[in-house]
Structures are given as structure tokens and as C-alpha cells.
Amino acid sequence: MTAAGATEVSYEDQLKADFKDQSKDDILRDYLAMLRIRRFEEAAARAYTRGKISGFLHLYIGQEAIAVATQQAIAAQDRVVSAYRTHGFALALGSDPKACAAELFGKATGLVGGMGGSMHFFDKKHRLWGGYAIVGNHIPVAAGHAFASKYLGDGAVTLVFMGDGAVGIGPVHEGMTLAGVWKLPIVFVVENNQYSMGTPLSRTLPVEDITSRAAGYGFKSDRFHVTSVGETRARLAAAIERARADNHPTLIELITYRFRGHSMSDPAKYRQKEEVETWRMQDPLERTLRALQLLHGVEEEALEKLDAGIIAEVDAAYEFADKSPQPPPEARFENILVGE
């Protein structure tokens, strides 16, 4: 519904406005990067139901644009620290899909030798400094990264991601307080996907605008709906540059949506069908696909061919994982203590 006297904007006009500064190649690049994550996650869900993946599995379906935008916004020396919904960040940052799949399977060829599983992806080479399973406890870790950067003068900015359910956790407040007092080069990003596990924000937050807390820490803030990679990249980049140039932290709230349950054990029956369909209209992957079709005339056959190529890559990754060896028993003692 539009206000009296206002003109309703068509879906195609919205796409034209949102993608006006991007070339066909830019849009296609973003689409394929998001699609790769989506297909990887869908394959993970199938593998889980077949008993190939143990423990918890938290999928990133619906939030892919954030990880892709992050990869485009950061510099070579910057660090990304995330919570446990982290497969998308690993893939976007350049981790080998085979190593990612093998880690999900707990195999020796995984990112951390099969010792971490879904919730503890880590790939220092590609700037991913963890996946952390304990809600909110990675925020002080990320503040420590930023303190090290300021102390060493290495010019790196740390981006730390959390869900909306983490913002009430004590260590989150502690880490943000330190970042504000010490003026650290860090960007705190809340991926607000509307639910803390299965509980809606209206029942967990007295004030739903999470960025209203920024002033208390001396932070800058930003808050917006994620509908495209391009806008998300630009607004993350502005916060990153502010942190790099002035050691001024920012709290960003990215309003997004996950289309699966909190984890594979969650059927998400607490959501109405109409709610899900409304959010699907704003799914960045779907909108980017439509931009290719409506604005640049990309044919369905060409898109299907691209999709088939990604599916083949993902299938190969999971086949590799399935055939990879289990880690030896002694591997559980590795990476615990610093060697001589």
C-alpha cells in the first residue's frame, strides 16, 4: 500500500534504481558468488539428512549477499571474525569448497583437519579468523584482533559478525566497551535475520533498533535492509575506511532474513507462509537474478548453464569430502599448544 498521492513503484523500476550503477558483468559476478554459497548450503542440508554431517548445521540461505559484499569491501590485511553461521564467509573469502565440505564431514582434508566441523570454520590464509560456536563470546576476541592491529600499526581492520540474538550477551557489551574506550579499528556487524533461534525480535529486544546502542559506546552507526551486494558493499566499505583512517568503530545492523530454521533441527513452524513469501521478494539472490533477466536480457538457458556449472563444482566438493580419510586419533591433540 502506498501513501495518498504517492506513485507505486514497480518491481522493475526498483531493480533499475538499485542496480543503476552496476554493469552487467558486476551483477553477474555478484549473482554467481551468491549462487555458489546457496548451492553449497543446499547440498549441506541434503548431506545432513543422509547422516554425513554430525552435530549442528546452521545454514546461510538468504544472507549470502552479506558475505559476498564483505569480501569485496575489505583489504588484503583485514580480518573477518564470525559466529557459527559461517560457511558463506569462508566460500566468499576464497576458501576451497572441497576443504569446506570436508570440514563439515569431519574429515582430515577439512579447513581445520576435521576438528572444527560446521561451527568452527577457520582459514587464516583467506582472512577468516573463526567461526565461533559460543554466542557472543567472539566479540572480545575480535576486539583483541583490533587492539593488536592498532598496537602494531599494521593498518588492518577487523570486521566481526554476530546475530541479533547475541546483542544481549555480556561479552558483547564488554568487547564493544573496550573498542570504544581504546578507539579500535573495528566494525561490529549485526546480521539481523529476524529471529533469535525461534524467538522474534519483539520478544527479545525492548528497542528493536540495535544501532541505538552505538552512542553509548561512542560508535558511528548504520542500519539498512540488505537487498543487493552493491549497496551492502558500499556501506560496509565506508565503515571500514573510517576504522582504518580514524580508529573509529562502527555498529552496523544489516536487516536480512534466513529462509531455513535456526539449524537443521529447527523446522521453523513459528513463521507464517505469507511472511516468508514477502521476504523472498527481497531476497538479494532473487533480485540479482531478475536484474540480469529484466535489465540485461540474459536468457534462461544461459543462466541454467551457469547454475549447472556451480552445481557440478559443489557436487565434486561433497564427493571429495565423502572419499576423504578420517583424521587420525592423535589429531585431537594438535593445534592446542604452541610447539617449541
Side-chain angles (χ1 to χ4, degrees), residues 45 47 87 108 115 121 149 154 162 179 200 234 238 242 247 282 288 315 337:
H87 316 149
M115 294 293 104
F121 274 31
S149 290
D154 63 11
M162 70 197 91
R242 182 162 51 242
N247 289 322
Q282 297 302 318
T288 307
D315 287 346
L337 300 175

Side-chain angles (χ1 to χ4, degrees), residues 56 58 82-85 116 118-120 130-138:
F56 291 101
H58 302 86
S82 78
Y84 46 75
R85 204 179 300 277
S118 171
M119 302 173 81
H120 300 95
Y132 290 84
I134 306 303
V135 177
N137 278 7
H138 63 303

Side-chain angles (χ1 to χ4, degrees), residues 3 9 25 30 51-52 84 94 97 121 164 203 206 212 244 267 270 273 275 280 282 285 308 322:
V9 179
D25 289 343
D30 296 346
K52 297 291 186 179
Y84 46 75
F121 274 31
D164 49 274
R203 296 180 60 188
S212 64
R244 198 183 322 276
Y270 43 82
K273 180 180 178 181
E275 173 189 313
R280 284 198 187 280
Q282 297 302 318
L285 179 62
D322 199 28

Side-chain angles (χ1 to χ4, degrees), residues 144-157:
H145 279 293
F147 177 79
S149 290
K150 185 175 182 180
Y151 184 81
L152 296 172
D154 63 11
V157 173

Side-chain angles (χ1 to χ4, degrees), residues 6-301:
T7 302
E8 186 171 353
V9 179
S10 71
Y11 186 74
E12 185 169 351
D13 287 340
Q14 289 179 356
L15 292 178
K16 288 179 180 177
D18 287 351
F19 292 92
K20 68 181 188 320
D21 296 326
Q22 297 184 58
S23 68
K24 175 184 172 181
D25 289 343
D26 290 339
I27 299 171
L28 183 60
R29 173 202 62 203
D30 296 346
Y31 173 68
L32 293 176
M34 288 188 286
L35 183 64
R36 191 164 174 254
I37 297 171
R38 180 75 56 98
R39 296 296 184 239
F40 183 92
E41 295 289 67
E42 291 168 346
R46 292 191 295 271
Y48 190 91
T49 60
R50 297 198 306 269
K52 297 291 186 179
I53 299 173
S54 301
F56 291 101
L57 181 69
H58 302 86
L59 301 177
Y60 205 55
I61 293 175
Q63 301 176 222
E64 299 93 344
I66 299 170
V68 174
T70 297
Q71 183 275 326
Q72 295 176 9
I74 61 177
Q77 69 271 31
D78 295 339
R79 304 181 183 93
V80 174
V81 179
S82 78
Y84 46 75
R85 204 179 300 277
T86 193
H87 316 149
F89 286 105
L91 291 168
L93 292 170
S95 298
D96 185 348
K98 292 180 180 179
C100 292
E103 191 59 43
L104 292 179
F105 280 35
K107 297 297 186 70
T109 53
L111 284 176
V112 290
M115 294 293 104
S118 171
M119 302 173 81
H120 300 95
F121 274 31
F122 194 102
D123 191 347
K124 178 181 175 181
K125 177 182 176 183
H126 291 102
R127 298 170 288 179
L128 179 61
W129 291 78
Y132 290 84
I134 306 303
V135 177
N137 278 7
H138 63 303
I139 306 305
V141 174
H145 279 293
F147 177 79
S149 290
K150 185 175 182 180
Y151 184 81
L152 296 172
D154 63 11
V157 173
T158 298
L159 279 77
V160 57
F161 293 82
M162 70 197 91
D164 49 274
V167 298
I169 302 296
V172 174
H173 170 65
E174 294 166 359
M176 289 186 178
T177 298
L178 288 175
V181 170
W182 291 342
K183 301 290 187 285
L184 301 181
I186 189 168
V187 179
F188 297 94
V189 185
V190 178
E191 296 182 271
N192 180 350
N193 60 23
Q194 309 306 305
Y195 289 94
S196 303
M197 297 184 70
T199 306
L201 265 67
S202 60
R203 296 180 60 188
T204 61
L205 296 176
V207 178
E208 291 192 18
D209 181 351
I210 294 169
T211 63
S212 64
R213 307 175 182 209
Y217 301 112
F219 294 175
K220 298 290 186 181
S221 66
D222 195 9
R223 183 176 193 258
F224 60 98
H225 282 79
V226 175
T227 58
S228 70
V229 171
E231 180 186 16
T232 308
R233 175 184 64 244
R235 294 173 79 156
L236 285 175
I240 293 168
E241 193 50 42
R242 182 162 51 242
R244 198 183 322 276
D246 302 325
N247 289 322
H248 201 134
T250 301
L251 174 61
I252 301 178
E253 182 180 359
L254 301 181
I255 301 171
T256 183
Y257 198 77
R258 56 171 166 81
F259 291 108
R260 298 293 184 98
H262 172 71
S263 68
M264 285 296 292
S265 62
D266 173 15
K269 292 182 178 179
Y270 43 82
R271 299 189 289 193
Q272 300 297 315
K273 180 180 178 181
E274 294 77 13
E275 173 189 313
V276 177
E277 290 306 312
T278 297
W279 279 97
R280 284 198 187 280
M281 290 295 293
Q282 297 302 318
D283 176 11
L285 179 62
E286 178 67 20
R287 296 180 83 254
T288 307
L289 170 63
R290 296 305 175 203
L292 288 170
Q293 294 174 316
L294 297 176
L295 306 184
H296 294 284
V298 179
E299 298 291 338
E300 189 73 26
E301 183 179 353

